[in-house]
Amino acid sequence: MPAHGNGNLSAAAPVWGFVLEGFRGGLGTQALLFAVFLALYLVTVLGNLTMIVLITLDARLHSPMYFFLKNLSFLDLCYSSAIAPNAIANFFSSSKAISFAGCATQLFFFSLLGTTEALLLAVMAYDRFMAICSPLRYPVAMGPATCARLVLGTYFGGCLNSMVETSLTFRLPFCRSNHIDHFFCDVPPLLRLACVSTALNELVMFAICGFILLGATLVILVSYGYITVTILRMSSGSGRYKAFSTCGSHLAAVSLFYGTGFATYGQPGAVRSTEQGKVVSTFYTLIIPMLNPLIYSLRNRDVKDALKRQGRRHTAA
C-alpha cells in the first residue's frame, strides 16, 4: 500500500497497523460494555441463525419474501461478526492493536455488508410492491432466478462501493497517529488520522453513500406509495391487515437502518463526530442486527406458525 512507504508514517506511526481506542472509561466501564456487547452479539447470532434455519427447513416459507428475509438474516449475522468479536476482545486487551491488513479487511467487509443490506432492503420493498400490487404477475415476475439475480445485484453494488471506499481510504498517508478513536476500522475515524487533505475522500463518501441511500429510499418510497393506494382500495379488512402487518415489519427495519446510516454517512459533517459516532455505530452494527429477527418474527404470523411447527416436530421426535 502507498501509505507504507510514507516517511512521516514510519516516523510518527508504526507501519504494522493501528490501535483501536474504543470506548473511554475505567475497568468497571469496560467490564459493563464487555457484558453488553457480548449479550447483544450472542442474541444477534442466535436470532439470525434461527431465522436462517427456520426458513430453510419450513417448506411453507419457501417464497420470495422469505428468501430475501433469509439473506437479510445472513447479512446481519456477517455484519455483526465482522465487528463484534474483535471489539469484545479489545475491552480487556492491553494493546487493542489491529494490523494494517486487518484494518483494511475489516473496513472492506463492513462496507460491503452494510451497503448490500441497504440495497437488499430496497429489493424487499420492490418484492412487497409486486406481491400486493400485481399478485397475478408476482409468481412469474419474482421467480427463483429473478430473486437470485436481485440478491447478487445487491452484493455487486456492495462490493463496488466497498472497493472504492477501502482503496481511497488506505491510499492516504496516516502520519498524525496510529490511534483510531473508535472500536472498529471505519472511514470517518481513519480520515482524521490522515496528514493530507481528506476533502476528496469526504466528498466521494458523501456522494456514494448519498446516492445509495437516496436511490434506495426512492425505490422504497415509490413502492410503498403504490402499496398504500392498493391496500386502501381493498374491500377485505383481513386482507388490509395482513398486507399492513407484512409491510410494517419491513418499514421498521428500513427506518432503523437508513436512519442511522444517514446520520453517520449521509451528511458532510458526519466525519467530524467521535463519541456520537461510536454510539450510532453500536446501534447499526449490533442493535439493529439483533432487532431484525425479532421485528420479523413477532409481527409475522407465518414465522410464528413455522416456529410452532418446528417445535412440535422436535417434540414428537
Side-chain angles (χ1 to χ4, degrees), residues 166-189:
T166 306
S167 60
L168 281 177
T169 300
F170 282 89
R171 280 180 181 156
L172 292 169
F174 301 109
C175 57
R176 288 181 179 173
S177 171
N178 70 328
H179 286 249
I180 300 175
D181 190 13
H182 213 306
F183 62 91
F184 69 95
C185 293
D186 196 9
V187 175

Side-chain angles (χ1 to χ4, degrees), residues 44-291:
T44 298
V45 171
L46 179 62
N48 285 289
L49 276 179
T50 299
M51 290 296 291
I52 293 169
V53 172
L54 184 67
I55 294 170
T56 302
L57 293 179
D58 198 297
R60 298 186 191 184
L61 300 183
H62 291 179
S63 66
M65 183 178 81
Y66 293 107
F67 172 74
F68 294 129
L69 182 54
K70 183 166 76 169
N71 278 276
L72 179 66
S73 292
F74 175 74
L75 282 172
D76 280 334
L77 180 62
C78 295
Y79 195 46
S80 287
S81 297
I83 306 299
N86 186 68
I88 291 169
N90 279 344
F91 281 119
F92 293 115
S93 170
S94 57
S95 65
K96 301 181 186 289
I98 185 169
S99 68
F100 219 96
C103 189
T105 301
Q106 187 180 60
L107 175 60
F108 176 83
F109 281 104
F110 169 72
S111 179
L112 164 65
L113 296 165
T115 306
T116 302
E117 180 159 339
L119 295 173
L120 182 63
L121 288 170
V123 168
M124 292 172 74
Y126 175 72
D127 171 69
R128 292 297 81 210
F129 159 73
M130 290 298 297
I132 295 171
C133 300
S134 302
L136 297 179
R137 291 182 53 221
Y138 181 67
V140 177
M142 298 298 290
T146 302
C147 293
R149 283 195 292 268
L150 286 170
V151 170
L152 286 174
T154 64
Y155 276 95
F156 176 78
C159 189
L160 189 63
N161 175 54
S162 183
M163 286 191 295
V164 171
E165 286 200 355
T166 306
S167 60
L168 281 177
T169 300
F170 282 89
R171 280 180 181 156
L172 292 169
F174 301 109
C175 57
R176 288 181 179 173
S177 171
N178 70 328
H179 286 249
I180 300 175
D181 190 13
H182 213 306
F183 62 91
F184 69 95
C185 293
D186 196 9
V187 175
L190 280 166
L191 293 185
R192 287 192 287 270
L193 303 184
C195 54
V196 295
S197 172
T198 60
L200 176 62
N201 294 71
E202 293 183 29
L203 181 62
V204 170
M205 184 180 75
F206 172 66
I208 293 177
C209 293
F211 175 77
I212 292 169
L213 289 172
L214 291 176
T217 301
L218 183 62
V219 171
I220 292 168
L221 289 176
V222 171
S223 297
Y224 276 102
Y226 279 103
I227 287 170
T228 302
V229 172
T230 302
I231 290 176
L232 291 176
R233 288 176 178 171
M234 290 179 177
S235 56
S236 169
S238 60
R240 278 200 297 267
Y241 173 78
K242 185 176 181 180
F244 269 126
S245 64
T246 303
C247 296
S249 300
H250 180 253
L251 281 173
V254 167
S255 300
L256 288 169
F257 190 83
Y258 278 71
T260 52
F262 182 79
T264 307
Y265 305 105
Q267 47 187 330
V271 294
R272 294 178 176 84
S273 176
T274 53
E275 294 307 310
Q276 181 186 1
K278 293 177 190 178
V279 175
V280 175
S281 296
T282 303
F283 203 81
Y284 64 73
T285 56
L286 281 170
I287 297 177
I288 292 177
M290 178 199 70
L291 289 177

